[in-house]
């Protein structure tokens, strides 16, 4: 039962009108995650909404797990309204997670919006010098910036409206960076919205830079059984919950 | 307490089976459920040749349910037998291979191949799939075609043969009688109910395939009604499915006439749903002093004898 367990909500920090950090403490033995893995959370004890919601693991330790949640619809609203003491059940950790860089590779992290949740554990893993390109629509949509500054001195912020850091998206910022400096054998780790992912894949392809990109798709089972969460790859359809969510940039069909 | 039931030649320890397509090839759930505790395992639908399936998005949540348009993606009978069946053979549980085809020949070919493999105890044919030779009309909506395809499969297999019926018909009792006449040992119902969902902001369908199959609690009343109609119409056992989430739901289906039940979408919500439901059935039996589960089959009490 170590990947299906009951937990208690021990904290729920409302960061803004759209984002919260949910902290839970497992009440049963559970498996520890890797960076880039995710959980399926049951959002209510009733039959509607029915399906679990996938969330990347943001932080964890012996005491608990934390998720950064962006308000989208009914499920994430229920998660936002959870109070300490409430019970919740989780399925996970699921999926493959980010692979280790191979010898000599320099990791570069790219996060767009709430994609920072998936990338965050890598900042901790590769501290203290890892390069992180973090973009959002506006300054108010950037989260955990102070914590991130405590983990790396190499943060490159961008906003679409220019309200903080570079004006433009994280991929444009990264492209400018790569043009202006020489990074030995870069390898990109990325998670962000579809548009960002697409432009990133194009850039990596043109420059021959390897990358590991986390993708999203609708899910039901989370364990590879329903075949609901497939994405198209150069080797045919692959399940985001099982072969992903992290895919080799060269494998993703464009 | 006796929970065992018989479906054709198959003796099940208890009436709870997995519903095709919701439990993968069994191995996906083996870490959550002791597969030997189940009544039977029904595999993902298999075809003679592997299938790629539909483009994503393939699923969308709907009120108390979900639509799916997986497109019958599967690894094909050959790879199933080589790569997946050995795993299932470790468990003390009957394996029922669900299969389909887009022509009668393909149905027959898949049935022949599956019948030759060791370790398959029964076959469930999914006739809710399009028929190439009939302009892609669904097999299971035309009584004559249903009779023809079930008879053809019956001729090539001695395994227990279950015909899985589509609810997307006017008279499901008639389809069940046709399956029985063609030699089926049991019928199972319901498969998913065809549905559709639209994103009103983009005006685009929420599924790439536009339409999909509705499953989950939303369809339970349809399933219960259809099982009841079919139970009154045939002499062979009926396997009930559609929105079973709890032991109570399973009992409801059995009171309507189901000899056994199949649990589908519930697995996605709770990976231990199948064994939780077995426990729930036991609890019901204990609470109502029922010693043998078969005695509640078709135990619905109703007044209008003319129905
Ligand atoms: C592997 C993975 C990791 C994720 N990690 C995070 C995270 O750390 N933080 C975060 O805020 N969000 C994350 N998401 C997105 C999050 O799962 C969705 O925003 C959420 O499911 C929306 O649910 P809802 O009920 O609020 O929205 P609704 O739009 O009402 O949901 C309706 C249905 O669509 C599904 N759905 C909607 N948007 C998405 C989406 N983008 N991806 C997959 N399914 C979706 C829902 O799960 C639900 O079944 C992740 C998604 C995936 C696949
Ligand atoms: C994702 C998914 C895949 C399915 N695949 C198959 C299949 O391959 N063959 C089949 O006969 N039925 C298939 N079904 C139908 C189920 O076996 C079941 O009959 C139906 O979902 C109703 O039960 P439920 O409400 O408990 O899910 C599938 C259902 C779902 C949700
Ligand atoms: S969510 Fe079911 S296979 Fe991925």
């Amino acid at each position: 039962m170590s990947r299906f367990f009951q937990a208690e909500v021990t904290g729920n920090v409302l960061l803004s009108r759209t984002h919260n950090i949910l902290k839970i403490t497992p009440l049963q033995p559970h498996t520890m995650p890797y960076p880039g893995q995710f959980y399926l959370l049951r959002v209510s004890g009733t039959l509607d909404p029915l399906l679990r919601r996938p969330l990347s693991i943001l932080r964890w330790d012996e005491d608990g797990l934390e998720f950064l949640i962006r308000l989208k619809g009914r499920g994430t609203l229920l998660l936002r309204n959870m109070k300490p003491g409430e019970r919740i059940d989780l399925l996970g950790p699921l999926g493959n997670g980010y692979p280790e860089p191979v010898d000599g590779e320099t990791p570069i992290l790219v996060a767009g919006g709430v994609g920072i949740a998936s990338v965050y554990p890598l900042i901790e893993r590769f501290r203290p010098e890892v390069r992180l390109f973090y973009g959002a629509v506006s300054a108010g949509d950037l989260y955990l910036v102070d914590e991130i500054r405590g983990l790396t001195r190499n943060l490159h912020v961008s906003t679409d409206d220019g309200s903080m850091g570079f004006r433009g998206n994280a991929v444009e910022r990264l492209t400018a960076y790569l043009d202006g400096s020489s990074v030995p054998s870069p390898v990109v780790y990325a998670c962000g919205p579809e548009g960002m992912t697409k432009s990133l894949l194009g850039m990596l392809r043109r420059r021959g830079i390897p990358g590991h990109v986390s993708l999203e798709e609708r899910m039901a089972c989370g364990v590879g059984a329903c075949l609901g969460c497939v994405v198209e790859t150069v080797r045919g359809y692959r399940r985001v919950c099982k072969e992903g969510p992290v895919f080799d940039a060269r494998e993703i069909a464009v | 307490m006796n929970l065992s039931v018989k479906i054709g030649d198959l003796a099940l320890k208890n009436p709870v089976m997995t519903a095709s397509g919701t439990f993968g090839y069994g191995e996906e759930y083996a870490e959550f459920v002791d597969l030997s505790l189940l009544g039977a395992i029904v595999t993902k639908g298999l075809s003679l040749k592997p299938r790629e399936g539909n483009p994503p998005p393939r699923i969308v949540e709907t009120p108390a349910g979900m639509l799916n348009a997986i497109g019958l993606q599967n690894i094909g009978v050959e790879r199933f037998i080589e790569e997946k069946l050995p795993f299932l053979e470790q468990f003390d549980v009957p394996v029922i291979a669900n299969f389909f085809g887009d022509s009668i020949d393909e149905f027959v070919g898949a049935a022949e191949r599956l019948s030759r493999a060791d370790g398959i105890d029964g076959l469930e044919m999914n006739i809710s799939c399009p028929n190439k030779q009939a302009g892609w009309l669904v097999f299971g909506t035309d009584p004559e075609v249903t009779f023809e395809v079930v008879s053809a499969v019956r001729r090539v297999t001695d395994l227990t043969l279950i015909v899985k019926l589509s609810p997307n018909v006017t008279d499901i009792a008639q389809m069940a009688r046709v399956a029985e006449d063609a030699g089926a040992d049991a019928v199972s119902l319901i498969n998913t109910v065809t549905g559709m969902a639209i994103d009103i902001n983009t005006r685009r369908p929420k599924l790439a395939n536009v339409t999909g199959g509705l499953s989950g609690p939303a369809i339970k009343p349809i399933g219960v009604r259809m099982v009841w109609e079919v139970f009154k119409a045939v002499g062979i056992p009926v396997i009930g499915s559609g929105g079973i989430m709890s032991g109570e739901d399973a009992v409801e289906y059995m009171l309507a006439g189901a000899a056994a039940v199949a649990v589908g979408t519930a697995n996605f919500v709770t990976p231990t749903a199948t064994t939780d439901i077995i426990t729930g059935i036991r609890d019901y039996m204990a609470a109502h002093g029922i010693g043998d589960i078969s005695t509640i089959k078709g135990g619905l009490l109703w007044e209008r004898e003319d129905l």
Side-chain angles (χ1 to χ4, degrees):
Chain A
M1 284 274 280
S2 56
R3 287 211 298 166
F4 176 47
F5 56 92
Q6 292 288 320
E8 185 179 313
V9 174
T10 44
N12 195 356
V13 185
L14 303 186
L15 301 173
S16 68
R17 286 165 62 178
T18 51
H19 286 65
N20 65 303
I21 289 182
L22 185 73
K23 302 183 186 193
I24 64 106
T25 297
L27 301 172
Q28 289 168 303
H30 62 104
T31 312
M32 283 293 171
Y34 298 116
Q37 285 191 301
F38 68 97
Y39 288 78
L40 286 188
L41 281 70
R42 185 86 199 272
V43 293
S44 83
T46 65
L47 298 177
D48 188 47
L50 186 67
L51 298 176
R52 291 167 176 274
R53 298 303 193 254
L55 291 172
S56 306
I57 183 68
L58 173 71
R59 282 188 291 227
W60 64 92
D61 61 22
E62 271 73 60
D63 296 329
L65 309 174
E66 288 184 41
F67 301 94
L68 175 66
I69 304 171
R70 182 174 78 103
L71 181 60
K72 171 92 195 295
R74 288 171 74 200
T76 47
L77 180 61
L78 286 163
L79 292 170
R80 181 181 170 86
N81 290 339
M82 286 205 163
K83 301 277 176 299
E86 282 184 54
R87 293 290 165 88
I88 179 168
D89 81 53
L90 292 87
L91 184 60
L94 303 171
N96 57 357
Y98 295 104
E100 288 290 328
V102 296
D103 274 352
E105 273 182 346
T106 311
I108 295 178
L109 314 183
V110 182
V114 77
I116 193 68
S118 164
V119 168
Y120 191 90
L122 292 175
I123 317 173
E124 291 191 316
R125 168 152 304 191
F126 299 135
R127 63 194 292 190
E129 288 294 345
V130 67
R131 297 166 178 83
L132 168 64
F133 294 81
Y134 179 17
V137 175
S138 184
D141 305 308
L142 292 157
Y143 296 93
L144 299 162
V145 172
D146 292 340
E147 287 88 337
I148 293 168
R149 287 200 204 283
L151 295 169
T152 179
R153 279 163 291 184
N154 219 327
L155 171 64
H156 305 266
V157 165
S158 53
T159 49
D160 296 347
D161 64 3
S163 52
M164 189 170 170
F166 176 86
R167 177 193 292 269
N169 65 40
V171 178
E172 288 162 3
R173 179 70 192 90
L174 170 61
T175 309
Y177 180 87
L178 289 171
D179 287 339
S181 59
S182 61
V183 184
S185 317
V187 56
V188 168
Y189 291 79
C191 182
E194 207 180 315
M196 185 202 101
T197 299
K198 277 207 179 110
S199 67
L200 178 70
L201 289 173
M203 191 274 276
L204 295 179
R205 211 150 287 178
R206 282 190 298 276
R207 291 174 184 242
I209 298 174
H212 309 288
V213 179
S214 185
L215 301 181
E216 284 185 3
E217 195 41 77
R218 322 260 124 169
M219 292 187 178
C221 72
V223 297
C226 73
L227 308 178
C229 65
V230 301
V231 290
E232 202 176 341
T233 73
V234 293
R235 293 182 296 149
Y237 291 131
R238 289 288 178 273
R239 297 165 294 187
V240 170
C241 74
K242 196 82 182 179
E243 288 84 31
V246 180
F247 291 89
D248 187 317
R250 287 163 301 196
E251 298 260 294
I252 303 166
V254 271
Chain B
M1 229 179 247
N2 182 15
L3 272 82
S4 66
V5 297
K6 268 201 92 182
I7 303 290
D9 291 333
L10 295 177
L12 315 188
K13 300 186 180 75
N14 62 65
V16 178
M17 339 198 308
T18 62
S20 177
T22 65
F23 209 69
Y25 301 108
E27 58 191 22
E28 292 86 349
Y29 279 99
E31 94 179 76
F32 307 106
V33 173
D34 176 355
L35 302 184
S36 298
L37 296 176
L38 302 178
I41 288 180
V42 182
T43 68
K44 172 71 192 161
L46 299 162
S47 48
L48 206 48
K49 297 271 148 53
R51 291 267 189 123
E52 270 276 292
N54 288 329
R58 288 178 171 185
I59 52 183
V60 51
E61 191 183 54
T62 55
M66 62 178 278
L67 287 167
N68 88 79
I70 307 299
L72 295 166
Q73 179 182 340
N74 78 98
I75 59 175
V77 287
E78 219 48 70
R79 275 186 63 200
F80 168 75
I81 291 164
E82 265 164 51
E83 297 170 24
K84 304 294 176 183
L85 199 51
F87 176 82
L88 290 173
E89 283 182 80
Q90 307 167 59
F91 300 93
D92 175 26
V93 63
V95 174
I96 297 172
N98 179 290
F99 71 103
F100 69 95
D102 58 22
S103 64
I104 291 179
D105 287 348
E106 262 194 53
F107 263 105
V108 168
E112 274 179 331
R113 182 68 194 93
L114 291 164
S115 302
R116 273 190 281 123
D118 277 335
I120 295 176
D121 303 284
L123 298 181
E124 180 180 69
M125 56 191 289
N126 172 12
I127 56 170
S128 305
C129 56
N131 179 354
K132 189 161 63 183
Q133 283 137 336
W136 302 108
L137 277 174
V138 170
F139 280 95
T141 55
D142 178 333
E144 273 166 42
V145 178
T146 298
F147 185 83
E148 206 182 332
V149 70
V150 175
S151 311
V153 168
R154 179 73 284 178
R155 281 192 287 274
V156 300
T157 186
D158 294 326
L159 293 176
T160 294
L161 178 63
I162 303 162
V163 175
K164 182 155 178 187
L165 302 176
S166 166
N168 306 310
V169 294
T170 311
D171 184 356
I172 193 133
Q174 181 199 11
M175 302 308 298
R177 272 192 301 265
V178 165
E180 181 178 36
D181 292 345
D185 297 308
V187 284
S188 78
L189 60 136
I190 55 175
N191 210 319
T192 54
V193 181
T194 305
M196 180 169 163
I198 300 168
D199 182 328
I200 60 164
N201 295 313
T202 62
R203 299 192 180 195
R204 303 204 44 90
K206 288 190 178 176
L207 294 169
N209 189 55
V210 186
T211 61
L214 184 62
S215 66
I219 67 169
K220 195 184 75 172
I222 302 174
V224 172
R225 185 265 292 180
M226 289 190 161
V227 163
W228 185 59
E229 288 177 351
V230 167
F231 173 68
K232 291 184 297 172
V234 298
I236 52 178
V238 180
I239 300 163
S241 65
I244 297 175
M245 306 297 287
S246 66
E248 284 97 334
D249 295 338
V251 168
E252 189 177 347
Y253 268 95
M254 289 189 273
L255 290 172
V261 295
V263 175
T265 302
N267 295 299
F268 307 154
V269 181
T270 310
T272 55
T274 44
T275 46
D276 295 350
I277 288 168
I278 296 169
T279 307
I281 294 172
R282 283 183 187 282
D283 292 346
Y284 174 84
M285 290 172 73
H288 293 264
I290 293 157
D292 184 344
I293 193 67
S294 320
T295 61
I296 72 162
K297 183 174 78 181
L300 172 75
L301 303 172
W302 85 98
E303 308 304 327
R304 294 199 38 203
E305 297 291 339
D306 54 319
L307 281 181

